[in-house]
C-alpha cells in the first residue's frame, strides 16, 4: 500500500488506529516505557487534541488513509507521538522537539525513543486489540462484507477548531464558522453562535463579496434568462 505523508510516499502495511485508538496505544506504550512529564505544563499522556496539535506542527504526519470519514493512523504515527513525549520527558521544549523530529525517519524516531521500545510496542498492540474501532488490517483486506462499517467521528455542523497560541502544549478551542456565500466562510473566535445574527452578517458582507468576485476569487453569480451577457 502507498501512504501519502506530506510530500513523502511511505510503504506501510502495519497496524491501523483511529485517532482515539492512537491516543490509547500511545498511552499504553508510554506506560511501558515509564515516560513521565518533568513539569505540569506538559501532558504525561497525549489525548486526541494534543495529537491533532502535533499534526499542525509537523510532528505527526497526516493520516495514513481514510476509511469512509474515519482517519486511520499507522505505526509511524505511533512512533512520532512516542518520540515527542520521550524528548519532552528529558526536558526538551516543543520547539527543540520540532527541530529534532520534523521529517525524521522511523529509524531516527526509534533512536529518539530509546531502549524499551519493543516492550512498548507490544503494550500498544495489546491496548489496540481491545479497541473495537482500531484495525490491525488494511481496509479492503479479506472479505469486506464481513466487517462492520467504521463509525465516523462526529464533526460539528457549524463550528471548527483553532489553536490557542499560549503555552507549550497549546490546546484547540472552538470558533464559529458562517458561510457568507458559496466558497466564502467567515470564522469568528467564539463558540457562542446564538449571539450571531447570520442574516445581518451576510448583508454587511455584500461589498466584500462583490470585491472578491471582481478580483476573480469567487465565481460570478449566474445570470437570469434573457439578461445581457
Amino acid at each position: 500500500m502507498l501512504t501519502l505523508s506530506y510530500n513523502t510516499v511511505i510503504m506501510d502495511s502495519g497496524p491501523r488506529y483511529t485517532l482515539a485508538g492512537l491516543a490509547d496505544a500511545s498511552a499504553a506504550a508510554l506506560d511501558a516505557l515509564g515516560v513521565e512529564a518533568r513539569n505540569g505544563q506538559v501532558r504525561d499522556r497525549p489525548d486526541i487534541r494534543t495529537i491533532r496539535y502535533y499534526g499542525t506542527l509537523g510532528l505527526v504526519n497526516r493520516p495514513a488513509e481514510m476509511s469512509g470519514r474515519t482517519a486511520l493512523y499507522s505505526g509511524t504515527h505511533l512512533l512520532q507521538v512516542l518520540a515527542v513525549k520521550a524528548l519532552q520527558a528529558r526536558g526538551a521544549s516543543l520547539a527543540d522537539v520540532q527541530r529534532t523530529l520534523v521529517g525524521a525517519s522511523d529509524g531516527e524516531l526509534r533512536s529518539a525513543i530509546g531502549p524499551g521500545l519493543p516492550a512498548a510496542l507490544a503494550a500498544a498492540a495489546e491496548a489496540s486489540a481491545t479497541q473495537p474501532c482500531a484495525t490491525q488490517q488494511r481496509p479492503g483486506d479479506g472479505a469486506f462484507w464481513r466487517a462492520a462499517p467504521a463509525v465516523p467521528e462526529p464533526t460539528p455542523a457549524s463550528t471548527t477548531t483553532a489553536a490557542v497560541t499560549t503555552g507549550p502544549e497549546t490546546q484547540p478551542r472552538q470558533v464559529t464558522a458562517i458561510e457568507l456565500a458559496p466558497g466564502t466562510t467567515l470564522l469568528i473566535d467564539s463558540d457562542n453562535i446564538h449571539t450571531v445574527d447570520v442574516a445581518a452578517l451576510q448583508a454587511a458582507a455584500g461589498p466584500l463579496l462583490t470585491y472578491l468576485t471582481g478580483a476573480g476569487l469567487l465565481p460570478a453569480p449566474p445570470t437570469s434568462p434573457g439578461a445581457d451577457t
Side-chain angles (χ1 to χ4, degrees), residues 36-202:
E36 296 182 0
R38 298 184 61 175
N39 61 69
Q41 293 182 320
V42 176
R43 288 180 179 270
D44 274 330
R45 303 296 177 258
D47 58 11
I48 289 175
R49 288 185 173 184
T50 301
I51 294 174
R52 282 176 174 158
Y53 178 56
Y54 289 164
T56 68
L57 300 179
L59 292 170
V60 171
N61 292 344
R62 294 175 181 175
E65 58 188 278
M66 299 295 295
S67 177
R69 294 177 56 193
T70 301
L72 297 179
Y73 297 81
S74 69
T76 294
H77 296 94
L78 177 61
L79 292 177
Q80 289 173 327
V81 175
L82 298 182
V84 171
K85 303 313 292 183
L87 293 184
Q88 285 185 321
R90 296 170 199 151
S93 68
L94 202 53
D96 292 334
V97 173
Q98 278 185 281
R99 285 190 287 269
T100 302
L101 295 183
V102 170
S105 65
D106 280 13
E108 291 168 332
L109 293 170
R110 290 173 179 272
S111 297
I113 296 167
L117 180 58
L121 294 180
E126 183 177 352
S128 66
T130 65
Q131 295 295 322
C133 292
T135 175
Q136 299 298 322
Q137 278 190 311
R138 296 182 302 167
D141 287 349
F144 66 87
W145 57 87
R146 296 176 184 171
V151 178
E153 297 176 4
T155 301
S158 59
T159 62
T160 185
T161 57
V164 180
T165 57
T166 58
E169 286 272 348
T170 298
Q171 296 299 316
R173 64 176 177 233
Q174 293 291 323
V175 297
T176 299
I178 299 174
E179 185 179 39
L180 300 177
T184 307
T185 301
L186 174 67
L187 297 181
I188 301 176
D189 192 0
S190 170
D191 59 355
N192 189 2
I193 192 172
H194 301 292
T195 64
V196 178
D197 187 339
V198 176
L201 280 175
Q202 291 173 331

